[in-house]
Amino acid sequence: MRHRWPTFSAAKKHWHLSEEIVFLNHGSFGACPRVVLEAQSRLRQEMEAAPVQFLARTHDGRLDEARNSLAEFLGMNPENLVFVTNATTGVNAALRSLDFQPGDEILTTDHDYNACRNVLIEVARRTGAKLVVAVVPFPLEHSQQVVDAILAAVTPRTRLAMIDHVTSNSAMVFPVEQIVRELDARGVDTLIDGAHAPGMLPLDLNALGAAYYTGNLHKWTCAPKGAAFLAVRPDKQDGIQPPVISHGNNRVRADHTPFQNRFDWAGTHDPTAWLCSADSIRWLGEFLPGGWPEIHQHHHTMVINARRMLCDQLEITAPCPENMIGSIATLPMPGRLASVDDDRTPDPVYQRLLSEFGIELHVIHINGRRWFRISAHLHNSPDEYRYLADVIGKTLATS
């Protein structure tokens, strides 16, 4: 069956996204606007025109400007904030710097991100600590079930809990404020994997009070690839090392913390993604009259409306309440499409969606069945989700 090609958002022109693809998977790698890429290109040209001037003399001042902008955006004191290349790097820096002992327990959930789970597995193997996985129900009816599952897995030996702010595959916003508070009362530090949170949710990291928080800037804030951050509470900064140890371990800058010194220079690299994060935050923040609060509401409203429509059209049930949704939502494939015969990669339903219908969609397997995750950003339009519903409901589910 042939389907009418959807009408795109007028805002899509600000991205390089292909007109041949219905891009419903912003959540995986983001997409950087043209204006930010142009700013990055200018910086790269300047760097190559005078490399020593750029990297040895102006780098620190520019990095501080970008950090100050990011700190304001995150509700975080800049002295507690450093740039990293992605959230997985931030998780590595925090976990591999900590001194776990045999018998210590490290807690996570079964909704964590595979790359970050692998870090936990390696740290536990190397130190003799025990990895404990709290099973969070999915589907679920309310966010308290998340809190209850995590707290039930805490023991007197629990040293640290790595908790997702927004889960990747199940696409749920965890109540991290309550989780951090409850774990802190039990003497357990938290490492929040906020890979999806910056730009999706309003953040006040000072108020949150987590020991460690890392997040990506290439996703919902649309910075260039390679821009992310690690925030560490002042009382936890001693001993936190970057994955690459360099000059910063004996570098002294009177106006910077030792924590910043260790991370700010890891050897020669291209810092332009970090420097352009401020351009991206500023550009998106000025895109709608209401600034970032309106951006957050726009994305949330779009994905909630799309989720309702897809549930109605495909006769499926949403797996979590709307107040646990940010800018992404995961839904079960309908009917026979739910069945997973094997774990072939790429998934055959994903392949058909892309090759036959031009739909870029995140298709995942959870608990032995097939699910799909939609994303919402300014470059998306409601018509794209209607097109998805038609393709899945009228063609894939019936062919």
Side-chain angles (χ1 to χ4, degrees):
M1 176 184 294
R2 296 182 63 86
H3 298 277
R4 177 185 60 81
W5 194 244
T7 300
F8 293 130
S9 165
K12 188 170 183 176
K13 66 183 179 183
H14 295 291
W15 278 261
H16 285 286
L17 292 168
S18 171
E19 296 291 326
E20 303 299 317
I21 294 178
V22 178
F23 190 64
L24 299 179
N25 190 15
H26 185 100
S28 281
F29 303 108
C32 190
R34 296 174 186 269
V35 65
V36 179
L37 291 174
E38 290 166 0
Q40 185 181 33
S41 180
R42 289 192 297 270
L43 281 176
R44 282 175 168 162
Q45 290 172 9
E46 183 181 344
M47 178 171 61
E48 296 306 327
V52 176
Q53 169 75 7
F54 191 96
L55 294 172
R57 291 195 284 272
T58 66
H59 170 272
D60 285 4
R62 286 172 160 163
L63 192 65
D64 285 340
E65 290 179 8
R67 176 169 26 226
N68 289 339
S69 295
L70 177 60
E72 182 179 1
F73 180 67
L74 298 174
M76 165 62 61
N77 297 332
E79 59 266 28
N80 303 326
L81 187 66
V82 294
F83 285 100
V84 291
T85 54
N86 51 59
T88 304
T89 303
V91 166
N92 270 272
L95 285 172
R96 299 177 74 179
S97 296
L98 298 177
D99 184 23
F100 295 104
Q101 300 296 320
D104 288 344
E105 293 180 358
I106 310 171
L107 177 62
T108 187
T109 78
D110 58 342
H111 291 250
D112 60 3
Y113 188 57
N114 180 63
C116 298
R117 169 75 71 87
N118 285 339
V119 183
L120 292 174
I121 291 171
E122 174 58 20
V123 167
R125 183 200 66 79
R126 179 172 52 83
T127 64
K130 178 183 178 182
L131 178 59
V132 176
V133 181
V135 178
V136 175
F138 186 76
L140 50 66
E141 296 179 356
H142 50 78
S143 62
Q144 186 61 38
Q145 292 174 267
V146 179
V147 179
D148 292 344
I150 291 170
L151 295 183
V154 174
T155 77
R157 292 184 175 274
T158 307
R159 283 276 316 281
L160 179 108
M162 184 183 76
I163 306 296
D164 289 62
H165 197 159
V166 183
T167 62
S168 181
N169 283 340
S170 52
M172 295 188 295
V173 179
F174 277 4
V176 294
E177 294 85 358
Q178 182 181 358
I179 293 169
V180 169
R181 186 171 63 250
E182 295 280 4
L183 290 175
D184 187 63
R186 291 162 174 78
V188 178
D189 286 337
T190 46
L191 164 59
I192 302 298
D193 178 1
H196 282 274
M200 180 189 291
L201 305 170
L203 295 178
D204 186 346
L205 297 191
N206 278 342
L208 179 63
Y212 316 94
Y213 192 109
T214 186
N216 287 319
L217 302 173
H218 67 264
K219 290 181 183 284
W220 303 97
T221 58
C222 295
K225 311 297 184 288
F229 68 88
L230 172 64
V232 179
R233 212 169 59 202
D235 62 305
K236 299 295 179 180
Q237 290 175 11
D238 287 349
I240 299 299
Q241 293 280 3
V244 175
I245 294 174
S246 187
H247 295 291
N249 273 31
N250 61 358
R251 184 186 188 193
V252 178
R253 293 181 295 174
D255 53 348
H256 291 78
T257 66
F259 173 57
Q260 291 172 325
N261 284 335
R262 291 194 295 271
F263 278 81
D264 281 2
W265 184 261
T268 305
H269 73 117
D270 182 352
T272 57
W274 297 355
L275 303 182
C276 287
S277 62
D279 297 87
S280 182
I281 291 169
R282 181 172 55 253
W283 183 80
L284 279 172
E286 296 172 351
F287 196 90
L288 295 177
W292 273 103
E294 188 174 355
I295 293 280
H296 296 148
Q297 188 59 51
H298 172 275
H299 296 353
H300 176 71
T301 299
M302 180 176 288
V303 83
I304 288 297
N305 289 340
R307 191 175 86 145
R308 291 173 181 173
M309 181 273 297
L310 285 160
C311 286
D312 181 62
Q313 294 295 314
L314 302 180
E315 298 181 345
I316 53 179
T317 301
C320 69
E322 292 182 353
N323 63 6
M324 294 184 71
I325 295 295
S327 305
I328 50 177
T330 292
L331 291 167
M333 281 286 185
R336 67 177 191 82
L337 294 179
S339 300
V340 177
D341 297 326
D342 55 48
D343 283 328
R344 278 180 292 167
T345 303
D347 179 270
V349 174
Y350 164 81
Q351 285 185 298
R352 285 198 66 190
L353 284 165
L354 183 60
S355 62
E356 296 181 32
F357 305 100
I359 298 174
E360 185 67 73
L361 187 72
H362 189 48
V363 177
I364 57 261
H365 301 169
I366 304 175
N367 297 332
R369 68 172 297 166
R370 184 179 284 111
W371 303 71
F372 66 97
R373 188 189 72 192
I374 56 172
S375 300
H377 210 284
L378 292 169
H379 53 71
N380 290 120
S381 71
D383 204 33
E384 291 178 296
Y385 306 105
R386 289 190 286 267
Y387 174 71
L388 174 66
D390 283 345
V391 168
I392 291 179
K394 297 179 182 178
T395 301
L396 296 188
T398 59
S399 62

